[in-house]
Amino acid sequence: MLSDREVLSTLEMLKNEHLDVRTVTLGVSLFDCAGHDPEKFKENVQRKIFRLAGNLVKVCDEIGIRYGIPVVNKRVAVSPIAVAACSFSRPQMVEVARKLDETAADIGIDFIGGFGALVEKGFTEGDRALIAAIPEALASTRRVCSSVNVASTRAGINMDAVYLMGKTIKDAAELTREADGIACAKLCVFANIPEDVPFMAGAYLGVGEPDSVINVGVSGPGVVKKAIDRARAANPHLDLGALSDIIKRTSFKVTRVGELIGRQVAEKLGVPFGVVDLSLAPTPNVGDSVGEIFQSLGLQSIGVPGTTAALALLNDAVKKGGAFASSYVGGLSGAFIPVSEDLNIAAAASRGYLSMEKLEAMTSVCSVGLDMVALAGDTSAETLAGIIADEMAIGVINKKTTAARLIPVPGKKAGEKASFGGLLGEAVIIAVSSNFGSREFISLGGRIPAPIHSLIN
């Protein structure tokens, strides 16, 4: 049972430290909607999402008010469309995306994920049609998100898919040139993608998941920062081991709150409860930044030497505390380091503390990857593919999830600012060295073999 002091500290988190449930995501399987008639498929999809998710927003709001814990985002994740609609052509895939967007608007959610494919070992015709449809689908919709898994530790890295995604990102950026390439903000390229991610843009419902399920993503960077600040103010001699323990205890309480809300929503909707994703998800608001935690740990700024070690400590402590608080932990479960979505990280990038190389190094210990990184508009498809390949290699070799959400901003250069609006925030465009230095390597294609793990060094 929680002590009086722990109850009071949880209330303080809610009142003053930005504690919220960042997202409740309802997974909906579309495999029973499959067929060869596109019109019938779209009708089945719309009917099923309405039936299962029609009350999602209302129920989340009711539960949030009852416990005084806001649910910030309500979302739906569906089966990979490349699988559920595998017989459709590129134009038909675009029409499916528009139907998903229309349905999402009708039920009042902010994003719907799952317009994606799993191609780590090769392509089906459905995969090719879906990837070809991504630029137009994301440019012509507001709420549809897409993810493509191009690598896994068991399969290796599909370099043909990596190159194709480099070209796809370029095309998506050009189609939304007037909005700084915002379509790319809804597109993630993954290695080892989990099947139960509640966060966008990577959310989808995997083939091993139930017909419908509630997955929850907690937040809490502001809560963790305040806990560290209070502890160091009370005892300036605390070492990193003691601070790790404080983060762990804080994560425990945050996770219990997330699981409480998730189970209540699941019960009310009559669907199973899935997992809690322990990721620390920032916002572009002061006091709710992952980057500020690094300063609380004694670093001048996120990005200076020591940052990767601090991120490793933070991630590990959050996972240990969260795993003890919940029986079902899943998704990404780490610290997001999205450049544009975190005010402090964006500022560190603009001051030169965060380079592409430092961000990449940090992703070797976080659970997400290069996230919301704005690049110059003339960054070539081969260079984008090279960056993606590097990020996939980190995930494949280290048996972890990594992702790349890259935004080549049309017409802008390194040092200029790109703005994406709302929670997507804004960021200074980061320089990339040797824009055309990857061309020959990327053009080789093929599949980089899966790594051997018995000879570890």
Side-chain angles (χ1 to χ4, degrees):
M1 179 175 289
L2 293 175
S3 67
D4 291 347
R5 186 173 179 180
E6 288 174 316
V7 171
L8 288 172
S9 73
T10 304
L11 291 174
E12 182 69 15
M13 290 177 185
L14 295 169
K15 186 177 178 184
N16 298 321
E17 299 172 5
H18 306 283
L19 177 61
D20 53 44
V21 172
R22 186 54 51 87
T23 181
V24 169
T25 301
L26 175 63
V28 178
S29 172
L30 299 184
F31 294 137
D32 56 353
C33 302
H36 291 283
D37 181 344
E39 295 304 318
K40 187 67 177 173
F41 176 77
K42 288 187 289 183
E43 183 183 328
N44 289 342
V45 167
Q46 186 177 47
R47 185 181 300 125
K48 183 163 187 182
I49 294 175
F50 263 119
R51 175 169 61 82
L52 291 168
N55 288 325
L56 177 64
V57 173
K58 179 184 171 190
V59 168
C60 287
D61 288 343
E62 286 176 358
I63 300 293
I65 290 170
R66 182 191 304 170
Y67 290 96
I69 302 168
V71 177
V72 179
N73 300 300
K74 302 92 175 174
R75 296 163 173 177
V76 168
V78 299
S79 310
I81 295 298
V83 180
C86 60
S87 61
F88 296 169
S89 64
R90 188 201 71 82
Q92 290 168 337
M93 291 286 190
V94 174
E95 289 305 311
V96 170
R98 289 175 177 151
K99 178 59 72 175
L100 290 172
D101 193 55
E102 177 188 319
T103 307
D106 288 344
I107 62 175
I109 59 172
D110 55 349
F111 285 117
I112 184 164
F115 193 77
L118 309 170
V119 295
E120 60 270 19
K121 212 167 181 178
F123 300 94
T124 65
E125 288 304 311
D127 294 329
R128 291 191 184 280
L130 182 127
I131 294 173
I134 285 175
E136 186 178 353
L138 297 185
S140 62
T141 60
R142 292 186 58 190
R143 296 171 177 81
V144 174
C145 291
S146 179
S147 59
V148 178
N149 194 69
V150 300
S152 73
T153 298
R154 286 190 175 276
I157 306 173
N158 182 346
M159 290 298 292
D160 294 324
V162 168
Y163 194 4
L164 185 56
M165 290 312 299
K167 296 173 182 174
T168 301
I169 290 170
K170 285 287 287 184
D171 291 344
E174 279 301 323
L175 287 179
T176 47
R177 154 179 289 272
E178 302 305 318
D180 282 347
I182 196 168
C184 301
K186 301 186 291 174
L187 173 60
C188 268
V189 184
F190 272 92
N192 293 323
I193 187 172
E195 297 186 336
D196 51 10
V197 183
F199 288 103
M200 297 295 171
Y204 82 106
L205 189 70
V207 295
E209 295 285 308
D211 189 61
S212 60
V213 63
I214 286 287
N215 294 318
V216 173
V218 298
S219 179
V223 175
V224 171
K225 177 190 182 309
K226 289 288 179 62
I228 296 170
D229 289 344
R230 276 195 301 269
R232 295 196 70 196
N235 182 0
H237 302 295
L238 284 177
D239 66 11
L240 291 172
L243 290 171
S244 171
D245 192 57
I246 286 164
I247 297 169
K248 193 168 62 177
R249 291 170 182 271
T250 304
S251 175
F252 175 86
K253 285 183 274 191
V254 169
T255 305
R256 294 297 273 183
V257 168
E259 178 151 341
L260 170 69
I261 297 299
R263 287 191 178 278
Q264 292 286 321
V265 172
E267 182 180 348
K268 194 86 173 175
L269 290 175
V271 302
F273 174 74
V275 300
V276 180
D277 185 317
L278 306 177
S279 298
L280 290 178
T283 68
N285 301 324
V286 175
D288 202 20
S289 160
V290 171
E292 290 174 339
I293 297 174
F294 293 79
Q295 293 169 331
S296 293
L297 287 171
L299 295 171
Q300 180 184 356
S301 166
I302 185 172
V304 303
T307 296
T308 307
L311 181 58
L313 178 154
L314 177 65
N315 249 0
D316 180 66
V318 166
K319 288 181 181 179
K320 285 174 177 170
F324 189 58
S326 174
S327 298
Y328 300 108
V329 172
L332 297 167
S333 290
F336 287 94
I337 49 172
V339 176
S340 74
E341 295 179 13
D342 186 300
L343 195 63
N344 189 278
I345 296 176
S350 68
R351 292 197 299 269
Y353 288 120
L354 278 173
S355 64
M356 177 62 77
E357 289 74 16
K358 186 60 179 175
L359 282 168
E360 186 180 303
M362 291 166 66
T363 65
S364 66
V365 299
C366 82
S367 302
V368 185
L370 293 169
D371 199 14
M372 292 297 289
V373 179
L375 304 172
D378 64 356
T379 305
S380 68
E382 291 79 8
T383 298
L384 292 171
I387 296 170
I388 293 169
D390 287 344
E391 194 57 35
M392 300 302 102
I394 290 172
V396 166
I397 296 296
N398 293 292
K399 295 182 282 186
K400 66 189 287 297
T401 300
T402 53
R405 187 159 51 150
L406 308 174
I407 309 168
V409 183
K412 293 191 176 179
K413 299 177 180 177
E416 294 186 72
K417 186 171 283 188
S419 181
F420 308 110
L423 282 176
L424 298 176
E426 60 182 30
V428 166
I429 294 170
I430 293 178
V432 176
S433 61
S434 304
N435 189 15
F436 296 99
S438 312
R439 178 173 292 167
E440 184 176 347
F441 173 73
I442 294 299
S443 299
L444 293 174
R447 179 154 58 95
I448 294 178
I452 185 167
H453 279 104
S454 60
L455 302 176
I456 297 172
N457 58 27

